[in-house]
Amino acid sequence: MMIKRAEFICSNTNVDKLPQPTLPEYAFIGRSNVGKSSLINALTQRKGLAKTSQTPGKTQLINHFLIDNRWYLVDLPGYGYAKTSRSNRNEWEKFIRKYLFTRENLQCVFVLVDSRLKPQKIDLDFCYTLGEKGIPFILVFTKADKQSRVKSDQHIALFCKALKQWFEEIPPHFLTSSESRLGCDQVMELIDDVNQKFYSSYES
Ligand code: GTP
Ligand code: MG
């Protein structure tokens, strides 16, 4: 999918003030610093679209980007940011949960996981919560350029094995790098497929 137009629309903590839920929407979530904003830039091939930082906790709001006037990419704040105070964390939980659980045009959630790490409880727990609520998600393993393919594949296999305790079917998963754009076209193809289904059901 070639993107012609990608524009920042708004940042919010108030779920009631988000754009009208008329277009298909895809949200990116995962641990702080896992590479959500970088992946959004790599997918859209717009370097400065989403703000990135070496310091965890950069993205603090729900950020909407409108793509080709047809669908939304949403950059969310990360979870597991150790320096955030407890009250901040509660706030995060509240508004992100409200967003995830109520956003009616949300087609699926991309859960980003650092491919360099063995399965982390915080990521598994988050997947479990989504599963429990029946929210479809796709796993995206990030930062593939930082280690060997063998290591990434080992970590992916371990993560999927851990998920099998809870899930009958393991969600689709991709290995990506925002540096090399590994996996980015595949992620975009998936979004394209869902968009096409969305619009064809709309027209019929
Ligand atoms: P928060 O907004 O703080 O939750 O972080 P985030 O998940 O949006 O992470 P962000 O995209 O800001 O990236 C964090 C750091 O990881 C930055 O220094 C990025 O340059 C780096 N990074 C992200 N993705 C990749 C990748 O695929 N490869 C490499 N080598 N570095 C990456
Ligand atoms: Mg970010």
Side-chain angles (χ1 to χ4, degrees):
M1 183 195 343
M2 269 301 289
I3 291 180
K4 293 200 196 77
R5 206 179 154 137
E7 50 193 320
F8 168 73
I9 299 295
C10 57
S11 294
N12 259 293
T13 48
N14 187 343
V15 174
D16 301 321
K17 290 191 178 153
L18 298 177
Q20 287 296 311
T22 46
L23 303 179
E25 181 161 315
Y26 304 85
F28 288 73
I29 198 157
R31 276 214 310 182
S32 211
N33 212 242
V34 70
K36 301 173 290 295
S37 304
S38 303
L39 187 68
I40 287 179
N41 293 341
L43 292 174
T44 56
Q45 297 182 271
R46 300 302 194 267
K47 271 208 162 98
L49 186 65
K51 293 203 178 74
T52 64
S53 166
Q54 288 176 358
T55 320
K58 174 71 185 168
T59 311
Q60 298 273 351
L61 303 161
I62 300 175
N63 298 293
H64 272 75
F65 300 96
L66 177 61
I67 312 299
D68 289 335
N69 280 324
R70 210 164 166 257
W71 54 285
Y72 288 117
L73 271 180
V74 176
D75 191 14
L76 295 171
Y79 51 75
Y81 175 41
K83 281 195 183 148
T84 306
S85 68
R86 183 179 289 265
S87 66
N88 247 345
R89 223 174 288 165
N90 284 342
E91 273 310 304
W92 184 94
E93 293 226 331
K94 252 195 253 156
F95 84 88
I96 299 298
R97 273 168 195 266
K98 185 170 175 193
Y99 167 77
L100 292 172
F101 300 164
T102 64
R103 187 72 173 157
E104 53 197 273
N105 57 332
L106 188 60
Q107 305 298 304
C108 70
V109 177
F110 289 91
V111 178
L112 274 60
V113 178
D114 192 328
S115 69
R116 296 172 299 175
L117 306 177
K118 292 202 172 123
Q120 305 284 301
K121 185 172 183 303
I122 194 165
D123 294 319
L124 293 167
D125 284 350
F126 187 75
C127 291
Y128 179 76
T129 306
L130 291 177
E132 212 180 27
K133 294 280 176 186
I135 298 172
F137 66 95
I138 312 280
L139 291 167
V140 176
F141 294 88
T142 62
K143 306 194 183 184
D145 58 286
K146 291 210 172 199
Q147 78 283 309
S148 70
R149 176 80 198 214
V150 173
K151 267 273 163 255
S152 300
D153 285 343
Q154 276 173 1
H155 294 150
I156 293 172
L158 285 173
F159 198 92
C160 292
K161 192 174 164 196
L163 280 188
K164 275 195 189 128
Q165 292 180 309
W166 299 321
F167 292 87
E168 262 175 44
E169 234 178 89
I170 299 302
H173 48 274
F174 297 94
L175 178 62
T176 66
S177 162
S178 299
E179 289 283 313
S180 69
R181 285 200 85 250
L182 174 81
C184 287
D185 290 339
Q186 287 82 344
V187 171
M188 290 301 275
E189 271 166 33
L190 186 145
I191 292 177
D192 202 23
D193 281 351
V194 180
N195 281 340
Q196 281 183 20
K197 280 186 197 121
F198 178 93
Y199 280 105
S200 61
S201 70
Y202 205 64
E203 281 150 15
S204 61

